[in-house]
Amino acid sequence: MVDIFDVIADRTRRDILQLLLERSTDGQDGTSVSHIVQVLGASQPTVSKHLRVLRDAGLVSVREEGQHRYYSLQTAPLDEVDDWLVPFFSVDPPTPATLPEPAAHAADVVGRAAASAKHAVTAALRKLPGR
């Protein structure tokens, strides 16, 4: 199984994901390898290697049209990263020593829900026309 943290640790792969995110919010139906090469200024073999890693991790999907391949962002695998990060978003997280167990659990659940809602709203706003 692929460790999503290892996959996104590479700067080039993060740049590819960012580019695909920007293109998807602009209403593009996939991005060609040649466009990624042009924007990143990387070689085609390098970009293809990174796209293979991203595809194997489920972070991108590919659509083939003749000899061209168009890549699109798939965000579901990033849920693992989101789940790990959410507890860190709390400004002053409660500690088990300061809250009884049911309250600590409730605070954790509410914090995760709030961070996930913020993420969902932000993603939805990015998809609005003119953004």
Side-chain angles (χ1 to χ4, degrees), residues 100-119:
E101 182 60 35
H105 177 71
D108 183 52
V109 169
V110 170
R112 286 175 182 263
S116 292
K118 178 186 176 216
H119 175 70

PDB file of all heavy atoms in Angstrom, residues 100-119:
ATOM      1  N   PRO A 100     -12.746  16.096  31.209  1.00  0.00           N
ATOM      2  CA  PRO A 100     -13.146  14.696  31.416  1.00  0.00           C
ATOM      3  C   PRO A 100     -13.241  13.981  30.071  1.00  0.00           C
ATOM      4  O   PRO A 100     -13.424  14.623  29.029  1.00  0.00           O
ATOM      5  CB  PRO A 100     -14.514  14.809  32.095  1.00  0.00           C
ATOM      6  CG  PRO A 100     -14.958  16.208  31.912  1.00  0.00           C
ATOM      7  CD  PRO A 100     -13.759  17.049  31.593  1.00  0.00           C
ATOM      8  N   GLU A 101     -13.107  12.682  30.079  1.00  0.00           N
ATOM      9  CA  GLU A 101     -13.058  11.886  28.853  1.00  0.00           C
ATOM     10  C   GLU A 101     -14.197  12.185  27.876  1.00  0.00           C
ATOM     11  O   GLU A 101     -13.927  12.428  26.695  1.00  0.00           O
ATOM     12  CB  GLU A 101     -13.019  10.388  29.179  1.00  0.00           C
ATOM     13  CG  GLU A 101     -12.910   9.483  27.958  1.00  0.00           C
ATOM     14  CD  GLU A 101     -11.645   9.736  27.133  1.00  0.00           C
ATOM     15  OE1 GLU A 101     -10.593  10.058  27.719  1.00  0.00           O
ATOM     16  OE2 GLU A 101     -11.716   9.626  25.907  1.00  0.00           O
ATOM     17  N   PRO A 102     -15.472  12.200  28.281  1.00  0.00           N
ATOM     18  CA  PRO A 102     -16.530  12.487  27.302  1.00  0.00           C
ATOM     19  C   PRO A 102     -16.383  13.877  26.674  1.00  0.00           C
ATOM     20  O   PRO A 102     -16.607  14.049  25.486  1.00  0.00           O
ATOM     21  CB  PRO A 102     -17.827  12.393  28.113  1.00  0.00           C
ATOM     22  CG  PRO A 102     -17.479  11.538  29.282  1.00  0.00           C
ATOM     23  CD  PRO A 102     -16.040  11.826  29.582  1.00  0.00           C
ATOM     24  N   ALA A 103     -15.984  14.866  27.444  1.00  0.00           N
ATOM     25  CA  ALA A 103     -15.826  16.219  26.909  1.00  0.00           C
ATOM     26  C   ALA A 103     -14.637  16.288  25.958  1.00  0.00           C
ATOM     27  O   ALA A 103     -14.689  16.963  24.926  1.00  0.00           O
ATOM     28  CB  ALA A 103     -15.660  17.226  28.041  1.00  0.00           C
ATOM     29  N   ALA A 104     -13.550  15.610  26.291  1.00  0.00           N
ATOM     30  CA  ALA A 104     -12.376  15.593  25.413  1.00  0.00           C
ATOM     31  C   ALA A 104     -12.732  14.948  24.081  1.00  0.00           C
ATOM     32  O   ALA A 104     -12.344  15.441  23.017  1.00  0.00           O
ATOM     33  CB  ALA A 104     -11.218  14.861  26.086  1.00  0.00           C
ATOM     34  N   HIS A 105     -13.480  13.856  24.135  1.00  0.00           N
ATOM     35  CA  HIS A 105     -13.901  13.180  22.906  1.00  0.00           C
ATOM     36  C   HIS A 105     -14.824  14.089  22.088  1.00  0.00           C
ATOM     37  O   HIS A 105     -14.671  14.211  20.866  1.00  0.00           O
ATOM     38  CB  HIS A 105     -14.610  11.860  23.228  1.00  0.00           C
ATOM     39  CG  HIS A 105     -15.132  11.160  22.009  1.00  0.00           C
ATOM     40  ND1 HIS A 105     -14.300  10.568  21.092  1.00  0.00           N
ATOM     41  CD2 HIS A 105     -16.394  10.998  21.543  1.00  0.00           C
ATOM     42  CE1 HIS A 105     -15.034  10.053  20.111  1.00  0.00           C
ATOM     43  NE2 HIS A 105     -16.304  10.307  20.364  1.00  0.00           N
ATOM     44  N   ALA A 106     -15.769  14.743  22.748  1.00  0.00           N
ATOM     45  CA  ALA A 106     -16.695  15.640  22.062  1.00  0.00           C
ATOM     46  C   ALA A 106     -15.932  16.791  21.405  1.00  0.00           C
ATOM     47  O   ALA A 106     -16.210  17.172  20.269  1.00  0.00           O
ATOM     48  CB  ALA A 106     -17.742  16.176  23.031  1.00  0.00           C
ATOM     49  N   ALA A 107     -14.950  17.353  22.117  1.00  0.00           N
ATOM     50  CA  ALA A 107     -14.153  18.452  21.563  1.00  0.00           C
ATOM     51  C   ALA A 107     -13.400  17.990  20.324  1.00  0.00           C
ATOM     52  O   ALA A 107     -13.309  18.723  19.331  1.00  0.00           O
ATOM     53  CB  ALA A 107     -13.185  18.988  22.615  1.00  0.00           C
ATOM     54  N   ASP A 108     -12.878  16.780  20.366  1.00  0.00           N
ATOM     55  CA  ASP A 108     -12.158  16.233  19.220  1.00  0.00           C
ATOM     56  C   ASP A 108     -13.091  16.062  18.023  1.00  0.00           C
ATOM     57  O   ASP A 108     -12.761  16.445  16.903  1.00  0.00           O
ATOM     58  CB  ASP A 108     -11.515  14.901  19.601  1.00  0.00           C
ATOM     59  CG  ASP A 108     -10.684  14.321  18.467  1.00  0.00           C
ATOM     60  OD1 ASP A 108      -9.825  15.055  17.946  1.00  0.00           O
ATOM     61  OD2 ASP A 108     -10.896  13.139  18.127  1.00  0.00           O
ATOM     62  N   VAL A 109     -14.274  15.523  18.264  1.00  0.00           N
ATOM     63  CA  VAL A 109     -15.244  15.301  17.190  1.00  0.00           C
ATOM     64  C   VAL A 109     -15.686  16.627  16.579  1.00  0.00           C
ATOM     65  O   VAL A 109     -15.732  16.786  15.352  1.00  0.00           O
ATOM     66  CB  VAL A 109     -16.459  14.500  17.715  1.00  0.00           C
ATOM     67  CG1 VAL A 109     -17.597  14.480  16.694  1.00  0.00           C
ATOM     68  CG2 VAL A 109     -16.049  13.076  18.073  1.00  0.00           C
ATOM     69  N   VAL A 110     -16.005  17.603  17.435  1.00  0.00           N
ATOM     70  CA  VAL A 110     -16.447  18.911  16.946  1.00  0.00           C
ATOM     71  C   VAL A 110     -15.325  19.607  16.175  1.00  0.00           C
ATOM     72  O   VAL A 110     -15.545  20.193  15.116  1.00  0.00           O
ATOM     73  CB  VAL A 110     -16.949  19.797  18.111  1.00  0.00           C
ATOM     74  CG1 VAL A 110     -17.171  21.226  17.660  1.00  0.00           C
ATOM     75  CG2 VAL A 110     -18.233  19.217  18.689  1.00  0.00           C
ATOM     76  N   GLY A 111     -14.100  19.521  16.675  1.00  0.00           N
ATOM     77  CA  GLY A 111     -12.964  20.136  15.991  1.00  0.00           C
ATOM     78  C   GLY A 111     -12.741  19.549  14.617  1.00  0.00           C
ATOM     79  O   GLY A 111     -12.510  20.274  13.636  1.00  0.00           O
ATOM     80  N   ARG A 112     -12.824  18.236  14.526  1.00  0.00           N
ATOM     81  CA  ARG A 112     -12.652  17.581  13.223  1.00  0.00           C
ATOM     82  C   ARG A 112     -13.771  17.961  12.260  1.00  0.00           C
ATOM     83  O   ARG A 112     -13.535  18.228  11.090  1.00  0.00           O
ATOM     84  CB  ARG A 112     -12.622  16.066  13.386  1.00  0.00           C
ATOM     85  CG  ARG A 112     -11.342  15.543  13.968  1.00  0.00           C
ATOM     86  CD  ARG A 112     -11.442  14.028  14.210  1.00  0.00           C
ATOM     87  NE  ARG A 112     -10.242  13.534  14.817  1.00  0.00           N
ATOM     88  CZ  ARG A 112      -9.251  12.977  14.126  1.00  0.00           C
ATOM     89  NH1 ARG A 112      -9.342  12.845  12.832  1.00  0.00           N
ATOM     90  NH2 ARG A 112      -8.179  12.547  14.746  1.00  0.00           N
ATOM     91  N   ALA A 113     -14.996  18.003  12.780  1.00  0.00           N
ATOM     92  CA  ALA A 113     -16.134  18.361  11.932  1.00  0.00           C
ATOM     93  C   ALA A 113     -15.999  19.793  11.422  1.00  0.00           C
ATOM     94  O   ALA A 113     -16.258  20.078  10.245  1.00  0.00           O
ATOM     95  CB  ALA A 113     -17.444  18.187  12.697  1.00  0.00           C
ATOM     96  N   ALA A 114     -15.574  20.691  12.295  1.00  0.00           N
ATOM     97  CA  ALA A 114     -15.419  22.090  11.895  1.00  0.00           C
ATOM     98  C   ALA A 114     -14.330  22.237  10.831  1.00  0.00           C
ATOM     99  O   ALA A 114     -14.506  22.958   9.844  1.00  0.00           O
ATOM    100  CB  ALA A 114     -15.098  22.958  13.109  1.00  0.00           C
ATOM    101  N   ALA A 115     -13.205  21.577  11.025  1.00  0.00           N
ATOM    102  CA  ALA A 115     -12.114  21.661  10.048  1.00  0.00           C
ATOM    103  C   ALA A 115     -12.527  21.042   8.718  1.00  0.00           C
ATOM    104  O   ALA A 115     -12.229  21.587   7.654  1.00  0.00           O
ATOM    105  CB  ALA A 115     -10.861  20.989  10.595  1.00  0.00           C
ATOM    106  N   SER A 116     -13.243  19.927   8.770  1.00  0.00           N
ATOM    107  CA  SER A 116     -13.703  19.298   7.531  1.00  0.00           C
ATOM    108  C   SER A 116     -14.716  20.175   6.812  1.00  0.00           C
ATOM    109  O   SER A 116     -14.684  20.295   5.584  1.00  0.00           O
ATOM    110  CB  SER A 116     -14.313  17.924   7.828  1.00  0.00           C
ATOM    111  OG  SER A 116     -13.319  17.039   8.251  1.00  0.00           O
ATOM    112  N   ALA A 117     -15.606  20.806   7.571  1.00  0.00           N
ATOM    113  CA  ALA A 117     -16.593  21.707   6.972  1.00  0.00           C
ATOM    114  C   ALA A 117     -15.900  22.899   6.327  1.00  0.00           C
ATOM    115  O   ALA A 117     -16.245  23.315   5.216  1.00  0.00           O
ATOM    116  CB  ALA A 117     -17.594  22.172   8.023  1.00  0.00           C
ATOM    117  N   LYS A 118     -14.894  23.452   7.017  1.00  0.00           N
ATOM    118  CA  LYS A 118     -14.141  24.575   6.462  1.00  0.00           C
ATOM    119  C   LYS A 118     -13.485  24.157   5.143  1.00  0.00           C
ATOM    120  O   LYS A 118     -13.515  24.896   4.162  1.00  0.00           O
ATOM    121  CB  LYS A 118     -13.084  25.043   7.444  1.00  0.00           C
ATOM    122  CG  LYS A 118     -12.236  26.165   6.902  1.00  0.00           C
ATOM    123  CD  LYS A 118     -11.098  26.527   7.844  1.00  0.00           C
ATOM    124  CE  LYS A 118     -10.233  27.576   7.182  1.00  0.00           C
ATOM    125  NZ  LYS A 118      -8.846  27.432   7.460  1.00  0.00           N
ATOM    126  N   HIS A 119     -12.892  22.967   5.139  1.00  0.00           N
ATOM    127  CA  HIS A 119     -12.241  22.460   3.927  1.00  0.00           C
ATOM    128  C   HIS A 119     -13.255  22.305   2.794  1.00  0.00           C
ATOM    129  O   HIS A 119     -12.997  22.697   1.647  1.00  0.00           O
ATOM    130  CB  HIS A 119     -11.556  21.124   4.234  1.00  0.00           C
ATOM    131  CG  HIS A 119     -10.951  20.461   3.043  1.00  0.00           C
ATOM    132  ND1 HIS A 119      -9.847  20.962   2.413  1.00  0.00           N
ATOM    133  CD2 HIS A 119     -11.326  19.360   2.355  1.00  0.00           C
ATOM    134  CE1 HIS A 119      -9.549  20.188   1.383  1.00  0.00           C
ATOM    135  NE2 HIS A 119     -10.433  19.214   1.338  1.00  0.00           N
TER     136      HIS A 119
END
